[in-house]
Amino acid sequence: MTSAVSVILCFAAMAALAHGSDEYERYNVKGYVGESADLECFFTMPEGDALDYSRWRRVLASGPVDVSVVLGDRGSIKCNEKLCVLAIVDLSTLDTGTYLCEVYFVKDTRPRPPVIFDLDVLDAPTLN
């Protein structure tokens, strides 16, 4: 039986979103079937503000859908003052696709472009 060393992909989108900017960040992430991936969405919180909520969505042919619908209990989201992380366990090739991270603040309600992650899940490499 072939076994793979569990590797958690940590992907950090280090550049912060600019206030009022129409530009967006887009990152390519690779993972392997059966492994885990952490998509890390960094942001800059406006001074004196607080994170209201974050929203992670997966882009499907029908449009963006909340990740809880497509990932079920294989996906979890955790946030702090600088980043929101979408953790996906037991990756499948069906997880390949585009994910959007959006953050919303309590006081500064200006719309911000999403951070985009293109996840490519590959078959696990074989070990000899």
Side-chain angles (χ1 to χ4, degrees):
M1 179 171 139
T2 303
S3 64
V5 177
S6 179
V7 176
I8 297 176
L9 295 174
C10 292
F11 188 82
M14 295 300 291
L17 290 173
H19 293 292
S21 170
D22 290 333
E23 295 181 17
Y24 60 88
E25 299 169 52
R26 188 171 202 138
Y27 302 95
N28 295 313
V29 182
K30 291 193 188 299
Y32 292 101
V33 170
E35 302 298 328
S36 299
D38 286 349
L39 305 182
E40 296 185 350
C41 178
F42 283 85
F43 58 88
T44 299
M45 188 165 333
E47 188 173 333
D49 211 339
L51 181 66
D52 190 14
Y53 66 96
S54 72
R55 179 168 62 178
W56 281 88
R57 297 185 296 163
R58 166 96 186 269
V59 178
L60 301 176
S62 60
V65 176
D66 190 270
V67 293
S68 63
V69 173
V70 292
L71 296 176
D73 62 357
R74 293 186 314 107
S76 64
I77 299 169
K78 293 183 182 170
C79 297
N80 64 30
E81 298 81 22
K82 296 182 180 182
L83 74 121
C84 288
V85 179
L86 170 61
I88 307 171
V89 298
D90 194 22
L91 286 171
S92 158
T93 55
L94 296 176
D95 296 324
T96 293
T98 301
Y99 294 80
L100 308 175
C101 170
E102 299 165 301
V103 294
Y104 299 89
F105 302 104
V106 174
K107 295 178 185 175
D108 186 348
T109 58
R110 288 180 288 178
R112 288 163 174 73
V115 178
I116 302 169
F117 296 88
D118 293 310
L119 177 62
D120 187 15
V121 180
L122 309 168
D123 287 325
T126 57
L127 300 176
N128 293 330

